Amino acid sequence: MTSQPSTPRSRRERPAKSALTHAGIVSTAVRLMESEGLQRVTMRRLAQELDTGPASLYVYVANTAELHAAILEALLGAVDLAPVGARGDWRERLLRVLGSYVEVLFAHPGLARSALVARPSGPHYLALVEGILGLLHEGGVPDAQAAWGVDVLLQVATATAAEQSTRAQSPTADDEHDALTAVLREAPAGVYPRIAALGDDLVSGTPEQRFAWIFRAVINGTKTTPRETS
Amino acid sequence: MTSQPSTPRSRRERPAKSALTHAGIVSTAVRLMESEGLQRVTMRRLAQELDTGPASLYVYVANTAELHAAILEALLGAVDLAPVGARGDWRERLLRVLGSYVEVLFAHPGLARSALVARPSGPHYLALVEGILGLLHEGGVPDAQAAWGVDVLLQVATATAAEQSTRAQSPTADDEHDALTAVLREAPAGVYPRIAALGDDLVSGTPEQRFAWIFRAVINGTKTTPRETS
DNA sequence: ACCTGAACACCGTTCAAGT
DNA sequence: ACCTGAACACCGTTCAAGT
């Protein structure tokens, strides 16, 4: 935030206006997201940050979705693929990798939702896929099942993070969740016997407890479900 | 589209401007979505359709997300909860219910994506939850696992539909998918040994085949994974 | 080749004012 | 109570024109 003595006449308190590049745009976008949230990372707002007009960005980025995917790819560098305390079996370590992924998404509201739509395809994403495949292999999961299972695991992790972060983000979303909870609790037993029978169990547990069970269930299903139908 | 003889001086070829109600707004929204797609169901466009200003809608609908959730709830009436040819076991019937749900979402691009964020809580949604719980109960899935499993099943079904319909909708999304496919195929074996080992298997199968396996895997995981950690 | 001004065609949401 | 005109504060994307 201090002015640069080497460029005395810069009009703004910004690093000298660097040439526009894909990398420069993405790193500015990440900074902007960190400070103002993904919802402010628009082509117009980002262009303003880079001291140019929105049209200039289209030379490097095809559209807003691609921009958001590039941000996610950059953030994925923070996923811990080999947790230090990882002395448990493969299942335990896989749980931690997925947990680390969810944490990264959860730390940036909005990112998970965009990740459900536009998946990245950079080296960090590949490393995450490779890490998961390695653990499934170590666990003796047949290749064909691991190949499809990695997708499900990432999908569930992403969707779970999206749901949680949407709720954490907006008080309206929280109200909606409370409404759903109330509706489930009050469902008449005559029309909805199973909902009534399960009662609070449908909405029980902390997010962490639900995460842990969900991941274990999907990992188990992946390991035990053959690809060919019997 | 014909003029109404009983209301000779109506200025437009619309059914007489009915009083604004929640139900009327939602049914107009559904019609609008069916004809122009969810992306056109905006507060402004919908108000125009109802011959009023956008501000008027806020008396009945809190925001755009809630409007989209109400549309989904209405559409959920089309889910087949007791497939006619359903003579298979509980697993087979559950697969069909989930398949019907995916079809409904898939028929309306954009809806699945919004469903990941704003879940409805009306009678159609409850009936779907009840139907799934009933089948899990029939299959001997312990209550505690069924209670959490229903959420995972719906989440996976929704996320799967969202991914597919995003791709079917926009050619850009399809390009991105091709890009990811190419990246996976070309991943160097030195850095990504498991990705290289699995090769085309990572992206193999039709959407239907992947759906079928994914649902079976999640159903199996739900049935076999106890809620308490060992 | 790269960059951009200006325009096109939209958005959600609020609020003071009307009936 | 219900409805609305008008405004506030934005959007994505394109394209002809400039350097």
Side-chain angles (χ1 to χ4, degrees):
Chain A
M1 293 292 178
T2 52
S3 61
Q4 307 270 45
S6 56
T7 57
R9 259 175 285 156
S10 65
R11 296 179 291 106
R12 312 220 179 182
E13 299 188 22
R14 243 181 259 291
K17 180 175 172 176
S18 59
L20 249 29
T21 62
H22 182 86
I25 287 169
V26 172
S27 78
T28 303
V30 169
R31 247 195 328 269
L32 182 57
M33 184 195 57
E34 227 109 53
S35 63
E36 306 190 10
L38 190 71
Q39 75 277 174
R40 298 273 178 241
V41 186
T42 63
M43 295 302 249
R44 279 169 180 272
R45 181 71 185 78
L46 181 57
Q48 187 186 315
E49 204 68 12
L50 289 160
D51 256 331
T52 183
S56 305
L57 303 181
Y58 284 85
V59 177
Y60 303 96
V61 178
N63 53 48
T64 307
E66 193 186 293
L67 176 65
H68 287 185
I71 291 174
L72 176 59
E73 164 62 22
L75 270 286
L76 248 31
V79 174
D80 189 358
L81 295 176
V84 273
R87 307 187 307 123
D89 70 349
W90 66 279
R91 241 178 261 261
E92 190 59 37
R93 276 176 290 145
L94 181 47
L95 242 32
R96 292 209 199 184
V97 170
L98 292 172
S100 172
Y101 172 70
V102 168
E103 261 173 52
V104 167
L105 289 182
F106 194 76
H108 306 279
L111 196 59
R113 244 166 310 150
S114 99
L116 283 163
V117 171
R119 296 200 178 202
S121 59
H124 291 139
Y125 183 74
L126 286 190
L128 175 58
V129 170
E130 175 69 24
I132 294 171
L133 287 175
L135 289 165
L136 291 172
H137 185 63
E138 188 182 329
V141 175
D143 282 0
Q145 290 156 227
W148 287 8
V150 65
D151 227 57
V152 186
L153 285 168
L154 285 171
Q155 194 181 66
V156 168
T158 308
T160 303
E163 203 170 334
Q164 291 302 322
S165 69
T166 297
R167 210 142 78 226
Q169 200 184 186
S170 101
T172 316
D174 219 358
D175 289 353
E176 275 165 37
H177 181 253
D178 291 350
L180 177 56
T181 300
V183 163
L184 285 172
R185 276 187 223 259
E186 288 155 22
V191 192
Y192 308 106
R194 294 310 306 157
I195 292 177
L198 296 183
D200 282 354
D201 219 0
L202 285 164
V203 293
S204 67
T206 64
E208 289 74 21
Q209 289 170 330
R210 294 181 78 113
F211 277 14
W213 181 82
I214 289 170
F215 292 144
R216 273 187 293 128
V218 176
I219 291 167
N220 289 344
T222 298
K223 184 167 165 67
T224 63
T225 306
R227 270 262 292 267
E228 303 308 307
T229 317
S230 61
Chain B
M1 292 295 179
T2 52
S3 62
Q4 308 272 47
S6 56
T7 56
R9 260 175 285 157
S10 67
R11 295 178 292 107
R12 314 223 177 177
E13 301 186 24
R14 240 183 261 289
K17 179 175 172 175
S18 59
L20 250 29
T21 61
H22 182 85
I25 288 169
V26 172
S27 78
T28 303
V30 169
R31 247 193 330 268
L32 183 58
M33 184 196 55
E34 227 108 53
S35 64
E36 306 190 9
L38 189 71
Q39 75 276 176
R40 298 274 179 240
V41 185
T42 63
M43 296 301 249
R44 279 168 180 272
R45 181 72 185 77
L46 181 57
Q48 188 186 314
E49 204 69 11
L50 288 161
D51 255 333
T52 184
S56 306
L57 303 181
Y58 283 85
V59 177
Y60 303 96
V61 178
N63 52 50
T64 307
E66 192 186 291
L67 176 67
H68 287 185
I71 292 174
L72 176 59
E73 164 61 24
L75 270 286
L76 248 29
V79 174
D80 190 357
L81 295 176
V84 274
R87 307 186 308 121
D89 70 350
W90 66 279
R91 242 177 261 259
E92 190 59 37
R93 278 176 288 143
L94 181 48
L95 242 32
R96 291 209 201 185
V97 170
L98 293 171
S100 172
Y101 172 71
V102 168
E103 262 173 51
V104 167
L105 290 182
F106 194 75
H108 305 279
L111 197 59
R113 243 165 311 148
S114 98
L116 282 163
V117 170
R119 296 200 176 200
S121 58
H124 291 140
Y125 182 75
L126 287 189
L128 176 59
V129 170
E130 176 69 24
I132 294 170
L133 287 175
L135 289 165
L136 292 173
H137 185 63
E138 190 183 327
V141 175
D143 282 1
Q145 288 157 228
W148 287 8
V150 65
D151 226 59
V152 186
L153 284 168
L154 285 172
Q155 192 182 67
V156 169
T158 308
T160 304
E163 203 169 335
Q164 291 302 323
S165 69
T166 298
R167 208 142 81 227
Q169 199 185 187
S170 102
T172 316
D174 219 358
D175 289 352
E176 275 166 36
H177 182 252
D178 291 350
L180 178 56
T181 300
V183 164
L184 286 171
R185 276 187 223 261
E186 290 155 20
V191 191
Y192 308 106
R194 294 309 307 156
I195 292 177
L198 296 183
D200 282 354
D201 219 0
L202 285 165
V203 293
S204 68
T206 65
E208 289 73 21
Q209 289 170 330
R210 293 181 79 112
F211 277 14
W213 181 82
I214 288 170
F215 292 144
R216 273 187 293 126
V218 176
I219 292 168
N220 289 344
T222 297
K223 185 167 164 66
T224 62
T225 306
R227 271 262 292 269
E228 303 308 308
T229 317
S230 59

